[in-house]
Amino acid sequence: GAMRPASFQVNGTLVFEARSDAAARRVLAAASAHLNMACGLREPGFLRRLAAVAELVDSQPFASQRLDDVYDCCISFLSAEAGELPALPLCSARGDAEVFAYHAASHTALGLSRQLGASPGSSNALLEKTLGTPTTMRNWGTLSRLVAKHFSQS
């Protein structure tokens, strides 16, 4: 059902076209079921319009953040069923992960990870723990490259 599918990098990102939103949801459900059967993968999948991702990239949402101690800028995608976030910024107890913005209309959270010890914190893990629901995350570089490769305003 997917038209012009293209895998992007190795992180589970797939860019494709579909005839309708319902068709896109069917593609996601079929792909998720196939990955579960083929290799036991049981990860959440989320759909986003490429134009919406391009708009997010164009808005430069990390430009106002102090980034000198930041390991990675992260964008988490939540399901429409995700609960409301507590007051922001939301910070981990260690201070190695922070969620500083949430866009309810697109179910997208913006976060920062810092490496204070052996490994960096995860704003995505912080969100999952806080909300008790699965999310998925891509770093800023991945989304910027995805938009540069696959989005054109014709």
Side-chain angles (χ1 to χ4, degrees), residues 1-3 31-32 37 49 51-53 58 61-62 68 81 85 89 98-99 101 105 107 126 128 137 139:
M3 298 181 293
S32 296
M37 292 267 278
R49 292 185 180 280
V53 176
D58 190 50
F62 295 97
D68 55 308
E81 292 79 36
L85 267 68
E98 174 184 346
V99 176
H107 309 291
L126 177 62
E128 288 185 331
M137 185 273 297
N139 72 34

Side-chain angles (χ1 to χ4, degrees), residues 84-154:
E84 288 196 30
L85 267 68
L88 298 178
L90 176 64
C91 299
S92 66
R94 286 184 35 186
D96 60 354
E98 174 184 346
V99 176
F100 67 89
Y102 177 65
H103 301 278
S106 63
H107 309 291
T108 305
L110 305 174
L112 304 169
S113 68
R114 294 177 177 85
Q115 187 163 347
L116 303 180
S119 60
S122 170
S123 59
N124 198 64
L126 177 62
L127 275 173
E128 288 185 331
K129 182 179 178 182
T130 301
L131 297 173
T133 187
T135 64
T136 192
M137 185 273 297
R138 298 295 180 270
N139 72 34
W140 186 245
T142 296
L143 288 184
S144 297
R145 288 187 296 277
L146 180 136
V147 167
K149 182 173 183 174
H150 291 286
F151 185 73
S152 63
Q153 294 177 325
S154 317

Side-chain angles (χ1 to χ4, degrees), residues 9-34:
Q9 297 186 331
V10 294
N11 59 18
T13 301
L14 178 66
V15 177
F16 66 94
E17 293 180 27
R19 296 188 195 286
S20 66
D21 289 351
R25 287 189 296 274
R26 287 192 297 274
V27 168
L28 175 60
S32 296
H34 176 76

Side-chain angles (χ1 to χ4, degrees), residues 20-57:
S20 66
D21 289 351
R25 287 189 296 274
R26 287 192 297 274
V27 168
L28 175 60
S32 296
H34 176 76
L35 288 169
N36 188 357
M37 292 267 278
C39 58
L41 183 67
R42 299 187 70 158
E43 291 293 322
F46 300 96
L47 294 170
R48 294 296 186 268
R49 292 185 180 280
L50 189 53
V53 176
E55 185 178 302
L56 176 65
V57 168

